Short mmCIF file of all heavy atoms in Angstrom, two decimals:
data_model
loop_
_atom_site.label_atom_id
_atom_site.label_comp_id
_atom_site.label_asym_id
_atom_site.label_seq_id
_atom_site.Cartn_x
_atom_site.Cartn_y
_atom_site.Cartn_z
N THR A 157 0.83 -1.17 0.00
CA THR A 157 0.00 0.00 0.00
C THR A 157 0.88 1.24 0.00
O THR A 157 1.77 1.37 0.83
CB THR A 157 -0.91 0.03 1.24
OG1 THR A 157 -1.68 -1.17 1.26
CG2 THR A 157 -1.81 1.22 1.23
N GLU A 158 0.59 2.10 -0.93
CA GLU A 158 1.35 3.34 -1.02
C GLU A 158 0.70 4.42 -0.17
O GLU A 158 -0.51 4.49 -0.05
CB GLU A 158 1.43 3.79 -2.47
CG GLU A 158 2.15 2.78 -3.35
CD GLU A 158 2.20 3.22 -4.79
OE1 GLU A 158 2.58 4.37 -5.04
OE2 GLU A 158 1.86 2.40 -5.64
N LYS A 159 1.51 5.25 0.41
CA LYS A 159 1.02 6.36 1.23
C LYS A 159 1.21 7.66 0.46
O LYS A 159 2.27 7.90 -0.11
CB LYS A 159 1.79 6.44 2.55
CG LYS A 159 1.71 5.18 3.39
CD LYS A 159 0.44 5.15 4.16
CE LYS A 159 0.45 3.90 5.04
NZ LYS A 159 -0.74 3.74 5.77
N TYR A 160 0.17 8.46 0.43
CA TYR A 160 0.23 9.75 -0.23
C TYR A 160 -0.17 10.83 0.76
O TYR A 160 -0.91 10.56 1.71
CB TYR A 160 -0.73 9.79 -1.43
CG TYR A 160 -0.39 8.79 -2.50
CD1 TYR A 160 -1.14 7.64 -2.67
CD2 TYR A 160 0.71 8.99 -3.33
CE1 TYR A 160 -0.82 6.71 -3.64
CE2 TYR A 160 1.03 8.07 -4.30
CZ TYR A 160 0.26 6.93 -4.46
OH TYR A 160 0.59 6.02 -5.41
N PRO A 161 0.25 12.06 0.51
CA PRO A 161 -0.21 13.16 1.36
C PRO A 161 -1.73 13.28 1.28
O PRO A 161 -2.34 12.88 0.29
CB PRO A 161 0.46 14.40 0.75
CG PRO A 161 1.58 13.89 -0.08
CD PRO A 161 1.17 12.51 -0.53
N VAL A 162 -2.33 13.81 2.31
CA VAL A 162 -3.79 13.95 2.35
C VAL A 162 -4.26 15.08 1.44
O VAL A 162 -3.50 16.00 1.11
CB VAL A 162 -4.30 14.18 3.79
CG1 VAL A 162 -3.98 12.98 4.67
CG2 VAL A 162 -3.73 15.44 4.39
N LYS A 163 -5.50 14.98 1.00
CA LYS A 163 -6.11 16.03 0.20
C LYS A 163 -6.16 17.30 1.03
O LYS A 163 -6.32 17.23 2.23
CB LYS A 163 -7.54 15.63 -0.20
CG LYS A 163 -7.63 14.42 -1.07
CD LYS A 163 -9.10 14.07 -1.24
CE LYS A 163 -9.28 12.65 -1.70
NZ LYS A 163 -10.67 12.22 -1.60
N PRO A 164 -6.01 18.42 0.42
CA PRO A 164 -6.10 18.72 -0.99
C PRO A 164 -4.81 18.58 -1.79
O PRO A 164 -4.73 19.05 -2.91
CB PRO A 164 -6.62 20.15 -1.02
CG PRO A 164 -6.02 20.78 0.20
CD PRO A 164 -6.00 19.66 1.23
N ASP A 165 -3.81 17.90 -1.24
CA ASP A 165 -2.59 17.64 -2.00
C ASP A 165 -2.97 16.78 -3.21
O ASP A 165 -3.70 15.80 -3.08
CB ASP A 165 -1.57 16.90 -1.13
CG ASP A 165 -0.26 16.72 -1.85
OD1 ASP A 165 -0.14 15.77 -2.66
OD2 ASP A 165 0.65 17.52 -1.60
N PRO A 166 -2.47 17.12 -4.40
CA PRO A 166 -2.87 16.41 -5.62
C PRO A 166 -2.07 15.16 -5.96
O PRO A 166 -2.34 14.51 -6.97
CB PRO A 166 -2.66 17.48 -6.69
CG PRO A 166 -1.47 18.23 -6.20
CD PRO A 166 -1.67 18.29 -4.69
N THR A 167 -1.11 14.78 -5.15
CA THR A 167 -0.18 13.70 -5.51
C THR A 167 -0.88 12.42 -5.92
O THR A 167 -0.56 11.84 -6.96
CB THR A 167 0.80 13.43 -4.36
OG1 THR A 167 1.49 14.64 -4.04
CG2 THR A 167 1.80 12.35 -4.74
N ALA A 168 -1.85 11.96 -5.15
CA ALA A 168 -2.53 10.69 -5.46
C ALA A 168 -3.25 10.78 -6.80
O ALA A 168 -3.23 9.83 -7.60
CB ALA A 168 -3.50 10.33 -4.36
N LEU A 169 -3.86 11.91 -7.10
CA LEU A 169 -4.56 12.07 -8.37
C LEU A 169 -3.59 12.11 -9.55
O LEU A 169 -3.86 11.54 -10.61
CB LEU A 169 -5.40 13.35 -8.35
CG LEU A 169 -6.54 13.36 -7.34
CD1 LEU A 169 -7.19 14.73 -7.28
CD2 LEU A 169 -7.55 12.29 -7.66
N LEU A 170 -2.46 12.75 -9.34
CA LEU A 170 -1.46 12.81 -10.40
C LEU A 170 -0.90 11.42 -10.71
O LEU A 170 -0.71 11.05 -11.87
CB LEU A 170 -0.34 13.77 -10.02
CG LEU A 170 -0.75 15.23 -9.91
CD1 LEU A 170 0.37 16.07 -9.29
CD2 LEU A 170 -1.17 15.79 -11.26
N VAL A 171 -0.67 10.63 -9.67
CA VAL A 171 -0.19 9.25 -9.86
C VAL A 171 -1.24 8.43 -10.59
O VAL A 171 -0.94 7.67 -11.51
CB VAL A 171 0.19 8.60 -8.51
CG1 VAL A 171 0.45 7.12 -8.66
CG2 VAL A 171 1.41 9.30 -7.91
N LEU A 172 -2.49 8.57 -10.19
CA LEU A 172 -3.59 7.86 -10.84
C LEU A 172 -3.66 8.18 -12.33
O LEU A 172 -3.81 7.28 -13.17
CB LEU A 172 -4.91 8.22 -10.16
CG LEU A 172 -6.16 7.56 -10.69
CD1 LEU A 172 -6.16 6.07 -10.38
CD2 LEU A 172 -7.39 8.21 -10.07
N CYS A 173 -3.54 9.44 -12.67
CA CYS A 173 -3.58 9.84 -14.08
C CYS A 173 -2.39 9.27 -14.85
O CYS A 173 -2.55 8.78 -15.97
CB CYS A 173 -3.61 11.36 -14.21
SG CYS A 173 -5.21 12.07 -13.79
N GLU A 174 -1.22 9.34 -14.24
CA GLU A 174 -0.03 8.83 -14.91
C GLU A 174 -0.12 7.33 -15.14
O GLU A 174 0.16 6.84 -16.23
CB GLU A 174 1.21 9.15 -14.08
CG GLU A 174 2.51 8.73 -14.75
CD GLU A 174 3.73 9.12 -13.96
OE1 GLU A 174 3.74 10.20 -13.35
OE2 GLU A 174 4.69 8.32 -13.94
N ARG A 175 -0.54 6.60 -14.14
CA ARG A 175 -0.63 5.12 -14.26
C ARG A 175 -1.66 4.69 -15.28
O ARG A 175 -1.54 3.62 -15.87
CB ARG A 175 -1.00 4.51 -12.91
CG ARG A 175 0.13 4.48 -11.94
CD ARG A 175 -0.27 3.74 -10.70
NE ARG A 175 0.82 3.76 -9.75
CZ ARG A 175 0.70 3.44 -8.48
NH1 ARG A 175 -0.47 3.07 -8.00
NH2 ARG A 175 1.74 3.48 -7.67
N ASN A 176 -2.69 5.50 -15.48
CA ASN A 176 -3.78 5.12 -16.38
C ASN A 176 -3.78 5.91 -17.68
O ASN A 176 -4.74 5.86 -18.44
CB ASN A 176 -5.12 5.28 -15.66
CG ASN A 176 -5.26 4.27 -14.55
OD1 ASN A 176 -5.48 3.10 -14.80
ND2 ASN A 176 -5.09 4.72 -13.31
N ASN A 177 -2.70 6.65 -17.91
CA ASN A 177 -2.52 7.42 -19.13
C ASN A 177 -3.71 8.34 -19.39
O ASN A 177 -4.26 8.39 -20.49
CB ASN A 177 -2.28 6.49 -20.32
CG ASN A 177 -1.67 7.22 -21.50
OD1 ASN A 177 -0.95 8.20 -21.33
ND2 ASN A 177 -1.97 6.75 -22.70
N LEU A 178 -4.12 9.05 -18.35
CA LEU A 178 -5.24 9.99 -18.45
C LEU A 178 -4.71 11.41 -18.60
O LEU A 178 -3.74 11.79 -17.97
CB LEU A 178 -6.11 9.92 -17.20
CG LEU A 178 -6.74 8.57 -16.88
CD1 LEU A 178 -7.42 8.62 -15.52
CD2 LEU A 178 -7.72 8.17 -17.96
N SER A 179 -5.38 12.18 -19.41
CA SER A 179 -5.04 13.59 -19.57
C SER A 179 -5.57 14.35 -18.36
O SER A 179 -6.78 14.35 -18.09
CB SER A 179 -5.68 14.15 -20.85
OG SER A 179 -5.62 15.55 -20.84
N ILE A 180 -4.69 15.00 -17.65
CA ILE A 180 -5.09 15.78 -16.48
C ILE A 180 -6.04 16.91 -16.90
O ILE A 180 -7.05 17.14 -16.25
CB ILE A 180 -3.86 16.34 -15.74
CG1 ILE A 180 -3.07 15.18 -15.13
CG2 ILE A 180 -4.26 17.34 -14.69
CD1 ILE A 180 -1.72 15.56 -14.59
N ALA A 181 -5.73 17.57 -17.99
CA ALA A 181 -6.54 18.69 -18.45
C ALA A 181 -7.95 18.27 -18.88
O ALA A 181 -8.87 19.07 -18.87
CB ALA A 181 -5.84 19.41 -19.60
N GLU A 182 -8.12 16.99 -19.23
CA GLU A 182 -9.43 16.48 -19.64
C GLU A 182 -10.12 15.69 -18.54
O GLU A 182 -11.18 15.10 -18.77
CB GLU A 182 -9.28 15.61 -20.89
CG GLU A 182 -8.81 16.38 -22.11
CD GLU A 182 -8.61 15.50 -23.32
OE1 GLU A 182 -8.91 14.29 -23.25
OE2 GLU A 182 -8.13 16.01 -24.34
N SER A 183 -9.54 15.67 -17.35
CA SER A 183 -10.10 14.90 -16.24
C SER A 183 -10.98 15.76 -15.36
O SER A 183 -10.79 16.97 -15.26
CB SER A 183 -8.97 14.29 -15.40
OG SER A 183 -8.24 13.36 -16.16
N LEU A 184 -11.94 15.11 -14.73
CA LEU A 184 -12.87 15.78 -13.84
C LEU A 184 -12.84 15.09 -12.48
O LEU A 184 -13.11 13.89 -12.39
CB LEU A 184 -14.29 15.72 -14.41
CG LEU A 184 -15.42 16.27 -13.55
CD1 LEU A 184 -15.27 17.78 -13.35
CD2 LEU A 184 -16.78 15.95 -14.19
N MET A 185 -12.50 15.82 -11.45
CA MET A 185 -12.54 15.29 -10.10
C MET A 185 -13.92 15.56 -9.53
O MET A 185 -14.32 16.72 -9.38
CB MET A 185 -11.46 15.95 -9.23
CG MET A 185 -11.49 15.53 -7.77
SD MET A 185 -11.28 13.76 -7.57
CE MET A 185 -11.15 13.65 -5.80
N ILE A 186 -14.65 14.50 -9.23
CA ILE A 186 -15.98 14.61 -8.64
C ILE A 186 -15.85 14.23 -7.17
O ILE A 186 -15.36 13.15 -6.85
CB ILE A 186 -16.97 13.67 -9.34
CG1 ILE A 186 -17.02 13.97 -10.84
CG2 ILE A 186 -18.35 13.78 -8.70
CD1 ILE A 186 -17.72 12.92 -11.66
N GLY A 187 -16.28 15.11 -6.31
CA GLY A 187 -16.18 14.83 -4.89
C GLY A 187 -17.33 15.43 -4.11
O GLY A 187 -17.99 16.36 -4.57
N ASP A 188 -17.55 14.86 -2.94
CA ASP A 188 -18.63 15.35 -2.08
C ASP A 188 -18.12 16.23 -0.95
O ASP A 188 -18.86 16.58 -0.04
CB ASP A 188 -19.46 14.20 -1.52
CG ASP A 188 -18.66 13.26 -0.63
OD1 ASP A 188 -17.42 13.36 -0.59
OD2 ASP A 188 -19.29 12.41 0.02
N ARG A 189 -16.84 16.60 -1.04
CA ARG A 189 -16.26 17.51 -0.05
C ARG A 189 -15.43 18.56 -0.78
O ARG A 189 -14.93 18.34 -1.87
CB ARG A 189 -15.36 16.75 0.93
CG ARG A 189 -16.11 15.69 1.72
CD ARG A 189 -15.21 14.93 2.66
NE ARG A 189 -14.14 14.28 1.89
CZ ARG A 189 -13.00 13.85 2.43
NH1 ARG A 189 -12.75 14.02 3.71
NH2 ARG A 189 -12.10 13.26 1.68
N ASP A 190 -15.28 19.70 -0.14
CA ASP A 190 -14.50 20.76 -0.75
C ASP A 190 -13.06 20.34 -1.01
O ASP A 190 -12.48 20.69 -2.03
CB ASP A 190 -14.57 22.05 0.07
CG ASP A 190 -14.13 21.89 1.52
OD1 ASP A 190 -13.97 20.74 2.00
OD2 ASP A 190 -13.97 22.92 2.19
N ILE A 191 -12.48 19.54 -0.10
CA ILE A 191 -11.08 19.15 -0.30
C ILE A 191 -10.91 18.21 -1.49
O ILE A 191 -9.84 18.16 -2.08
CB ILE A 191 -10.44 18.55 0.97
CG1 ILE A 191 -11.15 17.29 1.42
CG2 ILE A 191 -10.37 19.57 2.08
CD1 ILE A 191 -10.42 16.54 2.53
N ASP A 192 -11.96 17.48 -1.85
CA ASP A 192 -11.90 16.64 -3.06
C ASP A 192 -11.77 17.53 -4.29
O ASP A 192 -10.91 17.31 -5.15
CB ASP A 192 -13.16 15.78 -3.19
CG ASP A 192 -13.37 14.83 -2.03
OD1 ASP A 192 -12.38 14.35 -1.46
OD2 ASP A 192 -14.54 14.57 -1.70
N VAL A 193 -12.63 18.52 -4.37
CA VAL A 193 -12.61 19.46 -5.50
C VAL A 193 -11.27 20.18 -5.54
O VAL A 193 -10.65 20.30 -6.60
CB VAL A 193 -13.77 20.46 -5.41
CG1 VAL A 193 -13.65 21.55 -6.47
CG2 VAL A 193 -15.11 19.74 -5.53
N HIS A 194 -10.79 20.65 -4.41
CA HIS A 194 -9.53 21.39 -4.37
C HIS A 194 -8.35 20.51 -4.75
O HIS A 194 -7.41 20.98 -5.40
CB HIS A 194 -9.33 22.04 -3.00
CG HIS A 194 -10.36 23.08 -2.71
ND1 HIS A 194 -10.72 23.43 -1.44
CD2 HIS A 194 -11.14 23.84 -3.52
CE1 HIS A 194 -11.65 24.36 -1.48
NE2 HIS A 194 -11.93 24.62 -2.74
N ALA A 195 -8.37 19.23 -4.37
CA ALA A 195 -7.30 18.32 -4.77
C ALA A 195 -7.26 18.20 -6.28
O ALA A 195 -6.19 18.23 -6.90
CB ALA A 195 -7.49 16.96 -4.12
N GLY A 196 -8.43 18.06 -6.89
CA GLY A 196 -8.48 17.98 -8.35
C GLY A 196 -7.98 19.24 -9.01
O GLY A 196 -7.20 19.20 -9.96
N GLN A 197 -8.41 20.37 -8.52
CA GLN A 197 -7.96 21.65 -9.07
C GLN A 197 -6.47 21.84 -8.88
O GLN A 197 -5.78 22.33 -9.78
CB GLN A 197 -8.75 22.80 -8.46
CG GLN A 197 -10.20 22.80 -8.89
CD GLN A 197 -11.04 23.79 -8.12
OE1 GLN A 197 -10.78 24.09 -6.96
NE2 GLN A 197 -12.08 24.29 -8.76
N ASN A 198 -5.95 21.41 -7.74
CA ASN A 198 -4.50 21.51 -7.49
C ASN A 198 -3.71 20.62 -8.45
O ASN A 198 -2.55 20.89 -8.75
CB ASN A 198 -4.17 21.14 -6.05
CG ASN A 198 -4.63 22.18 -5.06
OD1 ASN A 198 -4.88 23.33 -5.41
ND2 ASN A 198 -4.77 21.79 -3.80
N ALA A 199 -4.35 19.56 -8.94
CA ALA A 199 -3.71 18.67 -9.91
C ALA A 199 -3.83 19.21 -11.33
O ALA A 199 -3.18 18.70 -12.24
CB ALA A 199 -4.33 17.27 -9.84
N GLY A 200 -4.68 20.22 -11.54
CA GLY A 200 -4.89 20.75 -12.87
C GLY A 200 -6.14 20.21 -13.54
O GLY A 200 -6.33 20.39 -14.74
N MET A 201 -6.99 19.54 -12.77
CA MET A 201 -8.24 18.97 -13.29
C MET A 201 -9.38 19.96 -13.10
O MET A 201 -9.28 20.91 -12.36
CB MET A 201 -8.61 17.70 -12.51
CG MET A 201 -7.62 16.61 -12.57
SD MET A 201 -8.16 15.25 -11.51
CE MET A 201 -6.86 14.08 -11.84
N HIS A 202 -10.48 19.65 -13.76
CA HIS A 202 -11.72 20.37 -13.52
C HIS A 202 -12.31 19.80 -12.23
O HIS A 202 -12.04 18.67 -11.85
CB HIS A 202 -12.70 20.17 -14.68
CG HIS A 202 -12.15 20.65 -15.98
ND1 HIS A 202 -12.13 21.97 -16.33
CD2 HIS A 202 -11.58 19.98 -16.99
CE1 HIS A 202 -11.58 22.09 -17.52
NE2 HIS A 202 -11.24 20.90 -17.95
N GLY A 203 -13.15 20.59 -11.57
CA GLY A 203 -13.74 20.15 -10.31
C GLY A 203 -15.25 20.14 -10.35
O GLY A 203 -15.87 21.05 -10.89
N CYS A 204 -15.82 19.10 -9.74
CA CYS A 204 -17.27 18.98 -9.63
C CYS A 204 -17.62 18.68 -8.18
O CYS A 204 -17.15 17.67 -7.62
CB CYS A 204 -17.80 17.88 -10.53
SG CYS A 204 -19.56 17.54 -10.32
N LEU A 205 -18.43 19.51 -7.59
CA LEU A 205 -18.91 19.27 -6.22
C LEU A 205 -20.26 18.56 -6.29
O LEU A 205 -21.21 19.07 -6.87
CB LEU A 205 -19.06 20.59 -5.46
CG LEU A 205 -19.62 20.46 -4.05
CD1 LEU A 205 -18.65 19.67 -3.16
CD2 LEU A 205 -19.89 21.83 -3.45
N PHE A 206 -20.31 17.36 -5.73
CA PHE A 206 -21.56 16.61 -5.61
C PHE A 206 -22.05 16.80 -4.18
O PHE A 206 -21.49 16.26 -3.24
CB PHE A 206 -21.30 15.12 -5.90
CG PHE A 206 -22.52 14.27 -5.74
CD1 PHE A 206 -23.56 14.35 -6.65
CD2 PHE A 206 -22.64 13.38 -4.68
CE1 PHE A 206 -24.70 13.57 -6.50
CE2 PHE A 206 -23.76 12.60 -4.53
CZ PHE A 206 -24.80 12.69 -5.44
N ASP A 207 -23.08 17.62 -4.04
CA ASP A 207 -23.54 18.03 -2.71
C ASP A 207 -25.06 17.90 -2.59
O ASP A 207 -25.79 18.89 -2.64
CB ASP A 207 -23.09 19.48 -2.46
CG ASP A 207 -23.35 19.96 -1.06
OD1 ASP A 207 -23.63 19.14 -0.16
OD2 ASP A 207 -23.27 21.19 -0.84
N PRO A 208 -25.55 16.66 -2.44
CA PRO A 208 -27.00 16.46 -2.40
C PRO A 208 -27.69 17.09 -1.20
O PRO A 208 -28.89 17.37 -1.25
CB PRO A 208 -27.16 14.95 -2.39
CG PRO A 208 -25.86 14.41 -1.94
CD PRO A 208 -24.82 15.41 -2.34
N ASP A 209 -26.96 17.35 -0.14
CA ASP A 209 -27.56 17.93 1.07
C ASP A 209 -27.42 19.44 1.16
O ASP A 209 -27.88 20.05 2.12
CB ASP A 209 -26.95 17.28 2.31
CG ASP A 209 -27.21 15.79 2.37
OD1 ASP A 209 -28.35 15.38 2.04
OD2 ASP A 209 -26.29 15.03 2.73
N GLY A 210 -26.76 20.05 0.17
CA GLY A 210 -26.58 21.49 0.19
C GLY A 210 -25.73 21.98 1.35
O GLY A 210 -25.93 23.08 1.86
N PHE A 211 -24.75 21.18 1.73
CA PHE A 211 -23.90 21.50 2.87
C PHE A 211 -22.95 22.67 2.58
O PHE A 211 -22.68 23.49 3.44
CB PHE A 211 -23.11 20.26 3.28
CG PHE A 211 -22.23 20.44 4.47
CD1 PHE A 211 -22.76 20.44 5.75
CD2 PHE A 211 -20.86 20.62 4.32
CE1 PHE A 211 -21.95 20.62 6.86
CE2 PHE A 211 -20.05 20.81 5.43
CZ PHE A 211 -20.59 20.80 6.70
N TYR A 212 -22.45 22.73 1.34
CA TYR A 212 -21.43 23.72 1.00
C TYR A 212 -22.03 24.90 0.24
O TYR A 212 -23.01 24.77 -0.48
CB TYR A 212 -20.34 23.08 0.11
CG TYR A 212 -19.49 22.10 0.85
CD1 TYR A 212 -19.73 20.74 0.77
CD2 TYR A 212 -18.42 22.52 1.63
CE1 TYR A 212 -18.94 19.82 1.44
CE2 TYR A 212 -17.62 21.62 2.30
CZ TYR A 212 -17.88 20.27 2.21
OH TYR A 212 -17.10 19.38 2.88
N ASP A 213 -21.39 26.05 0.38
CA ASP A 213 -21.69 27.21 -0.44
C ASP A 213 -20.87 27.06 -1.72
O ASP A 213 -19.64 27.14 -1.67
CB ASP A 213 -21.31 28.50 0.29
CG ASP A 213 -21.53 29.75 -0.52
OD1 ASP A 213 -21.87 29.66 -1.73
OD2 ASP A 213 -21.37 30.84 0.05
N PRO A 214 -21.51 26.82 -2.87
CA PRO A 214 -20.76 26.59 -4.11
C PRO A 214 -19.77 27.70 -4.44
O PRO A 214 -18.70 27.43 -4.97
CB PRO A 214 -21.85 26.49 -5.17
CG PRO A 214 -23.07 26.07 -4.43
CD PRO A 214 -22.94 26.72 -3.07
N ALA A 215 -20.12 28.94 -4.12
CA ALA A 215 -19.21 30.06 -4.41
C ALA A 215 -17.91 29.93 -3.62
O ALA A 215 -16.84 30.31 -4.10
CB ALA A 215 -19.89 31.38 -4.11
N GLU A 216 -17.99 29.41 -2.41
CA GLU A 216 -16.78 29.25 -1.59
C GLU A 216 -15.92 28.09 -2.05
O GLU A 216 -14.70 28.14 -1.94
CB GLU A 216 -17.17 29.07 -0.13
CG GLU A 216 -17.69 30.33 0.52
CD GLU A 216 -18.01 30.15 1.99
OE1 GLU A 216 -17.55 29.16 2.60
OE2 GLU A 216 -18.72 31.02 2.53
N VAL A 217 -16.55 27.03 -2.56
CA VAL A 217 -15.79 25.86 -3.01
C VAL A 217 -15.08 26.17 -4.33
O VAL A 217 -13.93 25.79 -4.52
CB VAL A 217 -16.71 24.63 -3.15
CG1 VAL A 217 -15.94 23.44 -3.74
CG2 VAL A 217 -17.31 24.26 -1.81
N GLY A 218 -15.76 26.85 -5.23
CA GLY A 218 -15.14 27.26 -6.49
C GLY A 218 -15.06 26.17 -7.54
O GLY A 218 -14.21 26.25 -8.44
N ALA A 219 -15.92 25.16 -7.46
CA ALA A 219 -15.94 24.12 -8.49
C ALA A 219 -16.57 24.65 -9.77
O ALA A 219 -17.46 25.50 -9.72
CB ALA A 219 -16.73 22.91 -7.99
N GLU A 220 -16.11 24.14 -10.89
CA GLU A 220 -16.70 24.54 -12.17
C GLU A 220 -18.12 24.00 -12.32
O GLU A 220 -18.95 24.60 -12.99
CB GLU A 220 -15.85 24.03 -13.35
CG GLU A 220 -14.49 24.65 -13.45
CD GLU A 220 -13.40 23.88 -12.71
OE1 GLU A 220 -13.70 23.11 -11.79
OE2 GLU A 220 -12.24 24.07 -13.06
N ILE A 221 -18.37 22.86 -11.71
CA ILE A 221 -19.68 22.22 -11.78
C ILE A 221 -20.15 21.94 -10.35
O ILE A 221 -19.39 21.45 -9.52
CB ILE A 221 -19.61 20.90 -12.56
CG1 ILE A 221 -19.11 21.15 -13.99
CG2 ILE A 221 -20.95 20.19 -12.57
CD1 ILE A 221 -18.77 19.88 -14.75
N ASN A 222 -21.40 22.26 -10.08
CA ASN A 222 -22.01 21.97 -8.78
C ASN A 222 -23.31 21.22 -9.04
O ASN A 222 -24.17 21.71 -9.78
CB ASN A 222 -22.32 23.27 -8.02
CG ASN A 222 -21.07 24.04 -7.70
OD1 ASN A 222 -20.35 23.69 -6.78
ND2 ASN A 222 -20.79 25.07 -8.47
N VAL A 223 -23.45 20.03 -8.46
CA VAL A 223 -24.65 19.23 -8.67
C VAL A 223 -25.15 18.70 -7.33
O VAL A 223 -24.39 18.53 -6.38
CB VAL A 223 -24.41 18.05 -9.64
CG1 VAL A 223 -24.04 18.57 -11.03
CG2 VAL A 223 -23.34 17.11 -9.13
N SER A 224 -26.45 18.43 -7.29
CA SER A 224 -27.03 17.88 -6.07
C SER A 224 -27.69 16.53 -6.30
O SER A 224 -28.25 15.95 -5.37
CB SER A 224 -28.05 18.87 -5.49
OG SER A 224 -29.08 19.11 -6.41
N SER A 225 -27.61 16.02 -7.54
CA SER A 225 -28.18 14.71 -7.82
C SER A 225 -27.36 14.01 -8.92
O SER A 225 -26.65 14.68 -9.69
CB SER A 225 -29.62 14.83 -8.28
OG SER A 225 -29.69 15.37 -9.59
N LEU A 226 -27.50 12.70 -9.00
CA LEU A 226 -26.81 11.97 -10.05
C LEU A 226 -27.34 12.33 -11.44
O LEU A 226 -26.60 12.36 -12.40
CB LEU A 226 -26.92 10.47 -9.80
CG LEU A 226 -26.13 9.96 -8.59
CD1 LEU A 226 -26.37 8.47 -8.40
CD2 LEU A 226 -24.65 10.25 -8.73
N ASP A 227 -28.64 12.64 -11.52
CA ASP A 227 -29.20 13.05 -12.80
C ASP A 227 -28.53 14.32 -13.32
O ASP A 227 -28.23 14.45 -14.51
CB ASP A 227 -30.71 13.27 -12.69
CG ASP A 227 -31.48 11.97 -12.56
OD1 ASP A 227 -30.97 10.91 -12.99
OD2 ASP A 227 -32.59 12.01 -12.00
N GLU A 228 -28.30 15.27 -12.42
CA GLU A 228 -27.60 16.51 -12.81
C GLU A 228 -26.19 16.19 -13.28
O GLU A 228 -25.72 16.77 -14.26
CB GLU A 228 -27.52 17.47 -11.63
CG GLU A 228 -28.77 18.21 -11.30
CD GLU A 228 -28.53 19.16 -10.15
OE1 GLU A 228 -28.69 18.72 -8.99
OE2 GLU A 228 -28.16 20.33 -10.41
N LEU A 229 -25.51 15.31 -12.56
CA LEU A 229 -24.14 14.94 -12.91
C LEU A 229 -24.09 14.29 -14.28
O LEU A 229 -23.25 14.63 -15.12
CB LEU A 229 -23.55 14.02 -11.85
CG LEU A 229 -22.13 13.52 -12.10
CD1 LEU A 229 -21.16 14.67 -12.23
CD2 LEU A 229 -21.71 12.57 -10.99
N ILE A 230 -24.99 13.36 -14.55
CA ILE A 230 -25.02 12.66 -15.83
C ILE A 230 -25.21 13.64 -16.98
O ILE A 230 -24.63 13.47 -18.05
CB ILE A 230 -26.10 11.56 -15.81
CG1 ILE A 230 -25.65 10.43 -14.89
CG2 ILE A 230 -26.38 11.03 -17.21
CD1 ILE A 230 -26.70 9.40 -14.56
N ALA A 231 -26.00 14.67 -16.77
CA ALA A 231 -26.22 15.67 -17.81
C ALA A 231 -24.91 16.35 -18.23
O ALA A 231 -24.74 16.71 -19.40
CB ALA A 231 -27.22 16.72 -17.34
N TYR A 232 -23.96 16.50 -17.31
CA TYR A 232 -22.67 17.10 -17.64
C TYR A 232 -21.74 16.13 -18.34
O TYR A 232 -20.88 16.53 -19.08
CB TYR A 232 -21.98 17.62 -16.37
CG TYR A 232 -22.52 18.94 -15.90
CD1 TYR A 232 -23.41 19.00 -14.85
CD2 TYR A 232 -22.12 20.12 -16.50
CE1 TYR A 232 -23.91 20.22 -14.41
CE2 TYR A 232 -22.61 21.35 -16.08
CZ TYR A 232 -23.51 21.37 -15.02
OH TYR A 232 -23.98 22.58 -14.60
N LEU A 233 -21.90 14.87 -18.03
CA LEU A 233 -20.99 13.87 -18.59
C LEU A 233 -21.45 13.46 -19.98
O LEU A 233 -20.74 13.13 -20.83
CB LEU A 233 -20.90 12.65 -17.68
CG LEU A 233 -20.45 12.95 -16.26
CD1 LEU A 233 -20.48 11.69 -15.42
CD2 LEU A 233 -19.06 13.56 -16.23
#
């Protein structure tokens, strides 16, 4: 098991992209916490906040996409 720094550090996401030959610029980090979105953005990815309970203020998180349901998310994909 490899150990990586905790989010919002992007190291784990960068390794994942490298191992799977994914374009960072074309990748979308979908997370239900602000640190998930920030980790993706720190890696150079787009960010999507999945917040079905409306816990976060989308303006404060700064994700490019904010959704509260899977139907909304699918519409973006």
Side-chain angles (χ1 to χ4, degrees):
T157 303
E158 298 179 49
K159 302 279 183 183
Y160 298 106
V162 297
K163 297 174 199 168
D165 185 278
T167 303
L169 295 173
L170 294 171
V171 170
L172 181 68
C173 285
E174 183 177 323
R175 285 186 182 166
N176 292 286
N177 198 29
L178 301 172
S179 166
I180 293 170
E182 295 178 5
S183 295
L184 175 66
M185 176 59 173
I186 303 167
D188 63 349
R189 299 179 301 161
D190 56 348
I191 62 170
D192 299 327
V193 172
H194 295 155
Q197 291 171 329
N198 289 340
M201 300 176 177
H202 300 281
C204 174
L205 177 64
F206 177 71
D207 188 14
D209 298 319
F211 182 78
Y212 290 98
D213 177 353
E216 288 183 16
V217 175
E220 294 92 338
I221 301 170
N222 296 283
V223 297
S224 60
S225 72
L226 291 177
D227 288 336
E228 283 182 272
L229 178 59
I230 290 169
Y232 281 101
L233 302 176

